[in-house]
Coordinates of all heavy atoms in Angstrom, one line a residue:
M68 N 14.6 6.4 7.6 CA 15.0 5.8 6.4 C 15.5 6.9 5.5 O 15.0 7.9 5.3 CB 13.7 5.2 5.8 CG 14.1 4.2 4.7 SD 12.5 3.5 3.8 CE 11.8 2.5 5.0
T69 N 16.7 6.6 5.0 CA 17.4 7.5 4.1 C 16.7 7.6 2.7 O 15.9 6.7 2.4 CB 18.8 7.2 4.0 OG1 18.9 5.9 3.2 CG2 19.5 7.0 5.2
R70 N 17.0 8.6 2.0 CA 16.4 8.8 0.7 C 16.8 7.6 -0.3 O 16.1 7.1 -1.1 CB 17.0 10.1 0.1 CG 16.3 10.5 -1.1 CD 16.7 11.9 -1.5 NE 16.4 12.2 -2.8 CZ 16.8 13.2 -3.4 NH1 17.6 14.2 -2.8 NH2 16.6 13.4 -4.7
Y71 N 18.1 7.1 -0.2 CA 18.5 6.1 -1.0 C 17.7 4.8 -0.7 O 17.3 4.0 -1.5 CB 19.9 5.8 -0.8 CG 20.5 4.6 -1.5 CD1 20.6 4.7 -3.0 CD2 20.8 3.4 -0.8 CE1 21.0 3.5 -3.7 CE2 21.2 2.3 -1.5 CZ 21.3 2.3 -3.0 OH 21.8 1.3 -3.6
S72 N 17.6 4.4 0.6 CA 16.9 3.2 0.9 C 15.4 3.3 0.7 O 14.8 2.2 0.3 CB 17.1 2.9 2.4 OG 16.5 3.9 3.1
A73 N 14.8 4.5 0.6 CA 13.5 4.6 0.3 C 13.2 4.3 -1.2 O 12.3 3.6 -1.7 CB 12.8 5.9 0.6
R74 N 14.1 4.7 -2.1 CA 14.0 4.4 -3.5 C 14.2 2.9 -3.8 O 13.5 2.3 -4.6 CB 15.1 5.3 -4.2 CG 14.6 6.6 -4.6 CD 15.6 7.3 -5.6 NE 16.7 7.8 -4.8 CZ 17.9 7.9 -5.2 NH1 18.3 7.6 -6.3 NH2 18.8 8.4 -4.3
C75 N 15.2 2.3 -3.0 CA 15.3 0.9 -3.2 C 14.1 0.1 -2.8 O 13.7 -0.8 -3.4 CB 16.6 0.5 -2.4 SG 18.1 0.9 -3.1
W76 N 13.5 0.5 -1.6 CA 12.4 -0.1 -1.1 C 11.2 0.0 -2.2 O 10.5 -1.0 -2.4 CB 11.9 0.5 0.2 CG 10.7 -0.2 0.8 CD1 9.5 0.4 0.9 CD2 10.7 -1.5 1.3 NE1 8.7 -0.6 1.5 CE2 9.4 -1.7 1.8 CE3 11.6 -2.5 1.5 CZ2 8.9 -2.9 2.3 CZ3 11.2 -3.7 2.0 CH2 9.8 -3.9 2.5
A77 N 11.0 1.1 -2.8 CA 9.9 1.3 -3.8 C 10.2 0.4 -5.0 O 9.3 -0.2 -5.6 CB 9.9 2.8 -4.2
R78 N 11.5 0.3 -5.3 CA 11.8 -0.6 -6.5 C 11.6 -2.0 -6.2 O 11.0 -2.7 -7.0 CB 13.4 -0.4 -6.8 CG 13.7 -1.0 -8.1 CD 15.2 -0.6 -8.5 NE 15.4 0.8 -8.5 CZ 16.5 1.3 -8.1 NH1 17.5 0.6 -7.6 NH2 16.7 2.6 -8.1
V79 N 11.9 -2.4 -5.0 CA 11.7 -3.8 -4.6 C 10.2 -4.1 -4.6 O 9.7 -5.2 -5.1 CB 12.3 -4.2 -3.3 CG1 11.9 -5.5 -2.6 CG2 13.8 -4.1 -3.4
C80 N 9.4 -3.3 -4.0 CA 8.0 -3.4 -4.0 C 7.4 -3.5 -5.3 O 6.4 -4.3 -5.6 CB 7.3 -2.3 -3.2 SG 7.6 -2.4 -1.4
G81 N 7.8 -2.7 -6.3 CA 7.3 -2.7 -7.6 C 7.6 -4.0 -8.3 O 6.8 -4.5 -9.0
K82 N 8.8 -4.4 -8.2 CA 9.2 -5.8 -8.7 C 8.4 -6.9 -8.2 O 8.1 -7.8 -9.0 CB 10.7 -5.9 -8.7 CG 11.6 -5.0 -9.5 CD 13.0 -5.3 -9.4 CE 13.9 -4.4 -10.1 NZ 15.3 -4.6 -10.0
S83 N 8.2 -6.9 -6.9 CA 7.5 -8.0 -6.3 C 6.0 -7.9 -6.8 O 5.4 -9.0 -7.0 CB 7.6 -8.0 -4.8 OG 7.0 -6.8 -4.3
A84 N 5.4 -6.8 -7.0 CA 4.0 -6.6 -7.4 C 3.9 -7.2 -8.8 O 3.0 -7.9 -9.2 CB 3.5 -5.2 -7.3
V85 N 4.9 -6.9 -9.7 CA 4.8 -7.4 -11.1 C 5.0 -8.9 -11.0 O 4.3 -9.6 -11.9 CB 6.0 -6.7 -11.9 CG1 6.1 -7.3 -13.2 CG2 5.6 -5.2 -12.0
S86 N 5.9 -9.4 -10.2 CA 6.1 -10.8 -10.2 C 4.9 -11.6 -9.7 O 4.6 -12.6 -10.3 CB 7.2 -11.2 -9.2 OG 8.4 -10.5 -9.6
V87 N 4.2 -11.1 -8.8 CA 2.9 -11.7 -8.2 C 1.8 -11.6 -9.4 O 1.2 -12.7 -9.7 CB 2.4 -11.0 -7.0 CG1 1.0 -11.5 -6.7 CG2 3.3 -11.3 -5.9
Y88 N 1.7 -10.6 -10.1 CA 0.8 -10.5 -11.3 C 1.1 -11.5 -12.3 O 0.1 -12.1 -12.8 CB 0.9 -9.0 -11.7 CG -0.2 -8.8 -12.8 CD1 -1.4 -8.3 -12.3 CD2 0.0 -8.9 -14.2 CE1 -2.5 -8.1 -13.4 CE2 -0.9 -8.7 -15.1 CZ -2.2 -8.3 -14.7 OH -3.2 -8.1 -15.7
V89 N 2.4 -11.7 -12.7 CA 2.8 -12.5 -13.6 C 2.5 -14.0 -13.2 O 1.9 -14.8 -14.0 CB 4.2 -12.4 -14.0 CG1 4.8 -13.5 -14.9 CG2 4.4 -11.1 -14.9
L90 N 2.7 -14.3 -12.0 CA 2.5 -15.7 -11.5 C 1.0 -16.0 -11.5 O 0.6 -17.1 -11.8 CB 3.1 -15.8 -10.0 CG 4.5 -15.9 -9.9 CD1 5.0 -15.9 -8.4 CD2 5.0 -17.2 -10.6
V91 N 0.1 -15.0 -11.1 CA -1.3 -15.2 -11.2 C -1.8 -15.3 -12.6 O -2.6 -16.1 -12.9 CB -2.0 -14.0 -10.4 CG1 -3.5 -14.1 -10.7 CG2 -1.8 -14.1 -9.0
A92 N -1.3 -14.7 -13.5 CA -1.6 -14.8 -14.9 C -1.3 -16.1 -15.5 O -2.0 -16.7 -16.2 CB -1.0 -13.7 -15.8
I93 N -0.1 -16.7 -15.1 CA 0.3 -18.0 -15.5 C -0.6 -19.0 -14.9 O -1.2 -20.0 -15.6 CB 1.7 -18.3 -15.1 CG1 2.7 -17.4 -15.9 CG2 2.2 -19.7 -15.2 CD1 4.1 -17.4 -15.5
A94 N -1.0 -18.9 -13.7 CA -1.8 -19.9 -12.9 C -3.2 -19.8 -13.6 O -3.9 -20.8 -13.8 CB -2.0 -19.5 -11.4
K95 N -3.7 -18.6 -13.8 CA -5.1 -18.5 -14.6 C -5.1 -19.2 -15.8 O -6.0 -19.9 -16.2 CB -5.3 -16.9 -14.8 CG -6.6 -16.7 -15.5 CD -6.7 -15.2 -15.8 CE -7.9 -14.8 -16.6 NZ -9.0 -15.4 -16.9
K96 N -4.0 -19.1 -16.7 CA -4.0 -19.7 -18.0 C -3.9 -21.3 -17.8 O -4.5 -22.0 -18.4 CB -2.8 -19.2 -18.8 CG -2.7 -19.8 -20.2 CD -1.9 -19.0 -21.1 CE -1.8 -19.6 -22.4 NZ -2.7 -19.1 -23.4
R97 N -3.0 -21.7 -17.0 CA -2.8 -23.2 -16.7 C -4.0 -23.9 -16.2 O -4.3 -25.0 -16.5 CB -1.6 -23.4 -16.0 CG -0.3 -23.2 -16.7 CD 0.9 -23.7 -16.0 NE 2.1 -23.5 -16.6 CZ 3.3 -23.8 -16.3 NH1 3.4 -24.5 -15.1 NH2 4.4 -23.5 -17.0
L98 N -4.7 -23.2 -15.2 CA -5.9 -23.8 -14.6 C -7.2 -23.4 -15.3 O -8.3 -23.9 -14.9 CB -6.0 -23.3 -13.2 CG -4.9 -23.7 -12.2 CD1 -5.0 -23.0 -10.9 CD2 -4.8 -25.2 -12.1
N99 N -7.1 -22.7 -16.5 CA -8.3 -22.4 -17.3 C -9.4 -21.8 -16.5 O -10.5 -22.2 -16.5 CB -8.8 -23.7 -18.1 CG -7.8 -24.2 -19.1 OD1 -7.1 -23.4 -19.8 ND2 -7.7 -25.5 -19.3
L100 N -9.0 -20.8 -15.6 CA -9.9 -20.1 -14.7 C -10.6 -19.0 -15.5 O -10.1 -18.4 -16.3 CB -9.2 -19.5 -13.6 CG -8.5 -20.5 -12.7 CD1 -7.7 -19.7 -11.7 CD2 -9.5 -21.5 -12.1
S101 N -12.1 -18.9 -15.3 CA -12.8 -17.9 -16.0 C -12.7 -16.6 -15.3 O -13.2 -15.6 -15.7 CB -14.3 -18.4 -16.1 OG -14.9 -18.7 -14.8
R102 N -12.3 -16.5 -14.0 CA -12.3 -15.3 -13.1 C -11.2 -14.4 -13.8 O -10.2 -14.8 -14.4 CB -12.0 -15.6 -11.7 CG -13.1 -16.4 -11.1 CD -12.7 -16.6 -9.6 NE -13.6 -17.4 -9.0 CZ -14.6 -16.9 -8.3 NH1 -14.8 -15.7 -8.2 NH2 -15.5 -17.7 -7.6
S103 N -11.4 -13.1 -13.6 CA -10.4 -12.2 -13.9 C -9.2 -12.2 -13.0 O -9.3 -12.7 -11.9 CB -11.0 -10.7 -13.9 OG -11.2 -10.3 -12.6
I104 N -8.1 -11.6 -13.4 CA -6.9 -11.7 -12.6 C -7.2 -10.8 -11.4 O -6.7 -11.2 -10.3 CB -5.6 -11.1 -13.4 CG1 -5.3 -12.1 -14.5 CG2 -4.4 -10.8 -12.5 CD1 -4.2 -11.7 -15.3
Y105 N -7.9 -9.7 -11.4 CA -8.2 -8.9 -10.3 C -9.0 -9.8 -9.3 O -8.7 -9.7 -8.1 CB -9.1 -7.7 -10.7 CG -9.6 -6.9 -9.5 CD1 -8.8 -6.0 -8.9 CD2 -10.9 -7.0 -9.2 CE1 -9.2 -5.3 -7.8 CE2 -11.5 -6.4 -8.1 CZ -10.5 -5.4 -7.4 OH -11.0 -4.7 -6.4
E106 N -10.0 -10.5 -9.8 CA -10.8 -11.4 -8.8 C -9.9 -12.4 -8.1 O -10.0 -12.7 -7.0 CB -11.9 -12.1 -9.6 CG -13.1 -11.3 -9.9 CD -14.2 -12.0 -10.7 OE1 -13.7 -12.7 -11.6 OE2 -15.3 -12.0 -10.3
I107 N -9.0 -13.1 -8.9 CA -8.0 -14.0 -8.4 C -7.2 -13.4 -7.3 O -6.9 -14.0 -6.2 CB -7.3 -14.7 -9.5 CG1 -8.1 -15.5 -10.4 CG2 -6.1 -15.6 -8.8 CD1 -7.5 -16.0 -11.6
L108 N -6.7 -12.2 -7.5 CA -5.9 -11.5 -6.6 C -6.6 -11.2 -5.2 O -6.1 -11.3 -4.2 CB -5.3 -10.2 -7.2 CG -4.1 -10.5 -8.1 CD1 -3.8 -9.1 -8.8 CD2 -2.9 -11.1 -7.5
Q109 N -7.9 -10.7 -5.5 CA -8.8 -10.6 -4.4 C -8.9 -11.8 -3.5 O -8.9 -11.8 -2.3 CB -10.1 -9.9 -4.7 CG -10.0 -8.5 -5.3 CD -9.5 -7.6 -4.2 OE1 -10.0 -7.5 -3.1 NE2 -8.5 -6.7 -4.6
I110 N -9.2 -12.9 -4.1 CA -9.5 -14.2 -3.5 C -8.2 -14.6 -2.7 O -8.3 -15.1 -1.5 CB -9.9 -15.3 -4.4 CG1 -11.4 -14.9 -5.0 CG2 -9.8 -16.7 -3.9 CD1 -11.7 -15.8 -6.2
L111 N -7.0 -14.5 -3.3 CA -5.8 -14.8 -2.7 C -5.6 -14.0 -1.5 O -5.1 -14.5 -0.4 CB -4.7 -14.8 -3.7 CG -4.7 -15.8 -4.8 CD1 -3.5 -15.6 -5.7 CD2 -4.6 -17.2 -4.2
S112 N -5.9 -12.7 -1.5 CA -5.6 -11.8 -0.4 C -6.6 -12.1 0.8 O -6.2 -12.0 2.0 CB -5.7 -10.4 -0.8 OG -7.0 -10.0 -1.1
L113 N -7.8 -12.5 0.4 CA -8.8 -12.8 1.5 C -8.5 -14.3 2.1 O -8.7 -14.5 3.3 CB -10.2 -12.8 1.0 CG -10.7 -11.5 0.5 CD1 -12.1 -11.6 -0.2 CD2 -10.8 -10.6 1.7
N114 N -8.0 -15.2 1.3 CA -7.8 -16.6 1.8 C -6.4 -16.8 2.2 O -6.0 -18.0 2.3 CB -8.2 -17.5 0.6 CG -9.7 -17.5 0.4 OD1 -10.5 -17.2 1.3 ND2 -10.1 -17.9 -0.9
L115 N -5.7 -15.8 2.5 CA -4.2 -15.9 2.8 C -4.0 -16.8 4.0 O -3.1 -17.7 4.0 CB -3.6 -14.6 3.0 CG -2.1 -14.6 3.2 CD1 -1.4 -15.1 1.9 CD2 -1.6 -13.1 3.4
F116 N -4.8 -16.7 5.0 CA -4.5 -17.5 6.2 C -5.6 -18.5 6.5 O -5.7 -19.1 7.5 CB -4.5 -16.5 7.5 CG -3.5 -15.6 7.4 CD1 -3.6 -14.2 7.1 CD2 -2.1 -16.0 7.6 CE1 -2.6 -13.3 7.0 CE2 -1.1 -15.1 7.5 CZ -1.3 -13.7 7.2
E117 N -6.5 -18.8 5.4 CA -7.5 -19.8 5.6 C -6.8 -21.2 5.1 O -5.8 -21.2 4.4 CB -8.7 -19.6 4.7 CG -9.4 -18.4 5.3 CD -10.7 -18.2 4.6 OE1 -11.2 -19.1 3.7 OE2 -11.4 -17.1 4.7
K118 N -7.5 -22.2 5.5 CA -7.0 -23.7 5.0 C -7.7 -24.1 3.8 O -7.6 -25.3 3.5 CB -7.1 -24.6 6.3 CG -6.2 -24.2 7.4 CD -6.3 -25.2 8.5 CE -5.3 -24.9 9.6 NZ -5.4 -25.8 10.7
T119 N -8.5 -23.4 3.1 CA -9.1 -23.8 1.9 C -8.1 -24.0 0.9 O -7.2 -23.1 0.6 CB -10.1 -22.6 1.5 OG1 -11.0 -22.4 2.5 CG2 -10.9 -23.2 0.3
P120 N -8.2 -25.2 0.2 CA -7.2 -25.4 -1.0 C -7.5 -24.4 -2.1 O -8.5 -23.9 -2.3 CB -7.6 -26.8 -1.5 CG -8.3 -27.4 -0.3 CD -9.0 -26.3 0.4
L121 N -6.3 -23.9 -2.7 CA -6.5 -22.9 -3.7 C -7.4 -23.3 -4.9 O -8.1 -22.5 -5.3 CB -5.1 -22.6 -4.3 CG -4.3 -21.6 -3.4 CD1 -2.9 -21.4 -4.1 CD2 -4.8 -20.4 -3.1
D122 N -7.4 -24.5 -5.3 CA -8.1 -24.9 -6.4 C -9.6 -24.8 -6.1 O -10.5 -24.4 -6.9 CB -7.9 -26.2 -7.0 CG -7.9 -27.4 -5.9 OD1 -8.0 -27.0 -4.7 OD2 -7.9 -28.5 -6.3
T123 N -9.9 -25.2 -4.8 CA -11.4 -25.0 -4.4 C -11.7 -23.5 -4.2 O -12.8 -23.1 -4.7 CB -11.5 -25.7 -3.0 OG1 -11.1 -27.0 -3.2 CG2 -13.0 -25.5 -2.5
A124 N -10.9 -22.7 -3.7 CA -11.2 -21.3 -3.5 C -11.4 -20.6 -4.8 O -12.2 -19.7 -5.0 CB -10.1 -20.6 -2.7
L125 N -10.6 -20.9 -5.9 CA -10.6 -20.2 -7.2 C -11.8 -20.7 -8.0 O -12.1 -20.0 -8.9 CB -9.3 -20.4 -7.8 CG -8.2 -19.7 -7.1 CD1 -6.8 -20.0 -7.9 CD2 -8.4 -18.2 -7.1
T126 N -12.3 -21.9 -7.7 CA -13.4 -22.4 -8.7 C -14.7 -22.3 -8.0 O -15.7 -22.6 -8.7 CB -13.1 -24.0 -9.0 OG1 -12.9 -24.6 -7.8 CG2 -11.8 -24.1 -9.9
L127 N -14.8 -21.9 -6.8 CA -16.1 -21.6 -6.3 C -16.9 -20.5 -7.0 O -16.3 -19.6 -7.5 CB -16.1 -21.3 -4.8 CG -15.6 -22.3 -3.8 CD1 -15.4 -21.8 -2.4 CD2 -16.5 -23.5 -3.8
A128 N -18.2 -20.6 -7.0 CA -19.0 -19.7 -7.7 C -18.9 -18.4 -6.9 O -19.0 -18.4 -5.7 CB -20.5 -20.2 -7.9
P129 N -19.1 -17.2 -7.6 CA -19.0 -16.0 -6.8 C -20.3 -15.8 -5.9 O -21.3 -16.3 -6.4 CB -18.9 -14.9 -7.9 CG -19.2 -15.6 -9.2 CD -18.9 -17.1 -9.0
A130 N -20.2 -15.1 -4.9 CA -21.4 -14.9 -4.0 C -22.4 -14.0 -4.8 O -22.1 -13.1 -5.4 CB -20.9 -14.2 -2.8
P131 N -23.7 -14.3 -4.6 CA -24.7 -13.6 -5.3 C -24.8 -12.2 -4.7 O -24.4 -11.9 -3.6 CB -26.0 -14.3 -4.9 CG -25.7 -15.1 -3.7 CD -24.2 -15.4 -3.7
L132 N -25.2 -11.2 -5.5 CA -25.2 -9.8 -5.1 C -26.5 -9.7 -4.2 O -27.5 -10.3 -4.2 CB -25.5 -8.9 -6.3 CG -24.3 -8.9 -7.3 CD1 -24.8 -8.1 -8.5 CD2 -23.2 -8.3 -6.6
N133 N -26.3 -8.8 -3.1 CA -27.4 -8.5 -2.3 C -28.5 -7.6 -3.0 O -28.2 -6.6 -3.5 CB -26.9 -7.7 -1.0 CG -26.1 -8.6 -0.1 OD1 -26.3 -9.8 0.0 ND2 -25.1 -8.0 0.6
R134 N -29.7 -8.1 -3.0 CA -30.8 -7.4 -3.7 C -32.0 -7.5 -2.7 O -32.2 -8.2 -1.9 CB -31.1 -8.1 -5.0 CG -30.0 -8.0 -6.0 CD -30.3 -8.6 -7.3 NE -29.2 -8.5 -8.2 CZ -28.9 -7.5 -9.0 NH1 -29.7 -6.4 -9.0 NH2 -27.9 -7.6 -9.9
D135 N -32.8 -6.4 -3.0 CA -34.1 -6.3 -2.2 C -35.1 -7.2 -2.8 O -34.8 -7.9 -3.8 CB -34.5 -4.9 -2.1 CG -34.9 -4.2 -3.4 OD1 -34.9 -5.0 -4.4 OD2 -35.3 -3.0 -3.4
S136 N -36.4 -7.1 -2.3 CA -37.4 -8.1 -2.8 C -37.8 -7.8 -4.3 O -38.4 -8.6 -5.0 CB -38.6 -7.9 -1.8 OG -39.1 -6.6 -1.9
N137 N -37.5 -6.6 -4.9 CA -37.9 -6.2 -6.1 C -36.8 -6.6 -7.1 O -36.9 -6.5 -8.3 CB -38.1 -4.7 -6.3 CG -39.3 -4.2 -5.5 OD1 -40.2 -5.0 -5.2 ND2 -39.2 -3.0 -5.0
G138 N -35.7 -7.1 -6.6 CA -34.6 -7.5 -7.5 C -33.5 -6.4 -7.8 O -32.6 -6.6 -8.5
S139 N -33.8 -5.2 -7.2 CA -32.8 -4.2 -7.5 C -31.8 -4.2 -6.4 O -32.0 -4.6 -5.3 CB -33.4 -2.8 -7.6 OG -34.6 -2.8 -6.8
P140 N -30.5 -3.8 -6.7 CA -29.4 -3.7 -5.7 C -29.8 -2.9 -4.5 O -30.5 -1.8 -4.7 CB -28.2 -3.2 -6.5 CG -28.6 -3.3 -7.9 CD -30.0 -3.3 -8.1
L141 N -29.3 -3.3 -3.4 CA -29.5 -2.5 -2.1 C -28.6 -1.3 -2.2 O -27.5 -1.2 -2.7 CB -29.1 -3.3 -0.9 CG -29.9 -4.6 -0.7 CD1 -29.4 -5.4 0.4 CD2 -31.4 -4.2 -0.5
I142 N -29.1 -0.1 -1.7 CA -28.5 1.2 -1.6 C -27.9 1.2 -0.3 O -28.7 1.2 0.7 CB -29.4 2.3 -2.0 CG1 -29.8 2.1 -3.4 CG2 -28.7 3.6 -1.9 CD1 -30.9 3.0 -3.9
L143 N -26.6 1.5 -0.2 CA -26.0 1.7 1.2 C -26.1 3.2 1.7 O -26.3 3.4 2.8 CB -24.5 1.2 1.2 CG -24.3 -0.2 0.9 CD1 -22.8 -0.4 0.8 CD2 -24.9 -1.1 2.0
F144 N -25.8 4.1 0.8 CA -25.9 5.5 1.2 C -26.8 6.2 0.3 O -27.0 6.0 -0.9 CB -24.5 6.1 1.1 CG -23.5 5.4 1.9 CD1 -22.5 4.5 1.2 CD2 -23.4 5.5 3.2 CE1 -21.6 3.8 1.9 CE2 -22.5 4.8 4.0 CZ -21.6 3.9 3.3
N145 N -27.5 7.3 0.9 CA -28.5 8.1 0.0 C -27.7 9.2 -0.6 O -26.7 9.7 -0.3 CB -29.5 8.6 0.9 CG -30.5 7.6 1.3 OD1 -30.6 6.6 0.6 ND2 -31.1 7.7 2.5

């Protein structure tokens, strides 16, 4: 890849990322979603190839945190 095409590729990727962010922000406002834009983007990236309707995927309650019997979060690493 030449230097010129690498710059163009970076510019195209940047513009598409901004476009996706704006579209998600518009959808969040129109659907009155309580989730953050970050959460919506994470859900969309995980559900990309699933057959779950978007309105169902975005309105489902978030999964509960994994906690031990005392109610404190589980520790993965010491």
Side-chain angles (χ1 to χ4, degrees):
M68 196 183 294
T69 65
R70 191 169 160 191
Y71 175 74
S72 62
R74 274 189 279 150
C75 288
W76 181 250
R78 190 176 305 139
V79 168
C80 288
K82 287 181 181 179
S83 63
V85 170
S86 300
V87 168
Y88 187 88
V89 169
L90 287 172
V91 168
I93 291 170
K95 176 183 172 20
K96 182 162 178 94
R97 287 194 180 176
L98 297 174
N99 294 324
L100 298 173
S101 61
R102 295 182 184 267
S103 69
I104 292 178
Y105 174 78
E106 286 178 311
I107 295 170
L108 288 169
Q109 290 296 314
I110 291 168
L111 293 175
S112 69
L113 292 175
N114 292 330
L115 189 60
F116 297 107
E117 291 185 12
K118 293 184 178 181
T119 306
L121 281 179
D122 58 345
T123 304
L125 295 174
T126 55
L127 289 175
L132 296 174
N133 291 330
R134 298 188 178 270
D135 66 3
S136 60
N137 297 333
S139 29
L141 297 176
I142 299 172
L143 295 177
F144 304 103
N145 291 333

